[in-house]
Amino acid sequence: MLNIKTIVCNQFQENCYIVSDETKEAVVIDCGALFQSEQRALLEYVKQEQLTLKHLIATHGHVDHHFGDALLWQEYQLKVEVPAADEPLMAKLNEQSMLFCGEALHTPMPLVGKYLQFTDVITFGSHLLTLIPTPGHTPGSVFFYCEEEGVVFTGDTLFKMSIGRTDFELGSFDDIMESLQRVKITLPKETVVYPGHGPQTTISEECRSNPYLR
């Protein structure tokens, strides 16, 4: 069984997830921990639960999902793993910070540890996460899906009653709509959705109520 800890981070209210199981191995998804209180909450949770962090993974290459990458490198020597198609965005994290926040990054980002392919599988403990390509918000946007537990981490592609913006650099409304229709017919309706911002939901609820999935 998965234990999923959510830490709401930075001025964009981004959801950072710490996902672990009974083995105490864990992955961190979308580490946007920017402020000291958020960073402290993350470190204290890992210590309290006696977790061994195996991976730092990101659903896409926008800076609000990466503010905490340097922290996890400093504390645990973890380098972020990012979908390969978002490599151009990862090269511009400092520019993104200036654009969205009006200031440079507080700490230089470590190098990316791995650029993920859609065929890659993220393993930790007795569980695995598969990648579902969902381009549109960014070219490399992915879902991380745990079929065994019926949960999916959707980044900024799918939110409760909404979807991610496509007016940022390299975004595409046509692509995100195609991605959502593909997800709609492939993921089980009971799948629990953990988005990059906002509250959790289910595929069933979004198919019923989200105007972009009808």
Side-chain angles (χ1 to χ4, degrees), residues 5-57:
K5 171 69 172 179
T6 307
I7 300 175
V8 180
C9 296
N10 64 60
Q11 58 267 56
F12 302 103
Q13 298 292 283
E14 181 268 344
N15 291 330
C16 170
Y17 297 106
I18 307 169
V19 185
S20 60
D21 67 12
E22 68 283 352
T23 69
K24 296 296 186 177
E25 290 190 352
V27 298
V28 179
I29 302 175
D30 288 345
C31 190
L34 173 62
F35 302 119
Q36 287 187 356
S37 58
E38 302 155 2
Q39 296 181 353
R40 185 165 55 249
L42 189 158
L43 297 178
E44 287 178 353
Y45 179 79
V46 171
K47 181 178 180 180
Q48 172 187 317
E49 297 298 317
Q50 299 181 314
L51 300 179
T52 300
L53 300 185
K54 303 300 290 186
H55 297 275
L56 167 59
I57 55 178

Side-chain angles (χ1 to χ4, degrees), residues 24 54 61 64 76 78 105 107 115 117 166 179 213:
K24 296 296 186 177
K54 303 300 290 186
D64 56 318
Y76 304 107
L78 277 182
L105 293 167
T107 306
Y115 281 107
Q117 305 301 319
T166 58
S179 295
L213 268 72

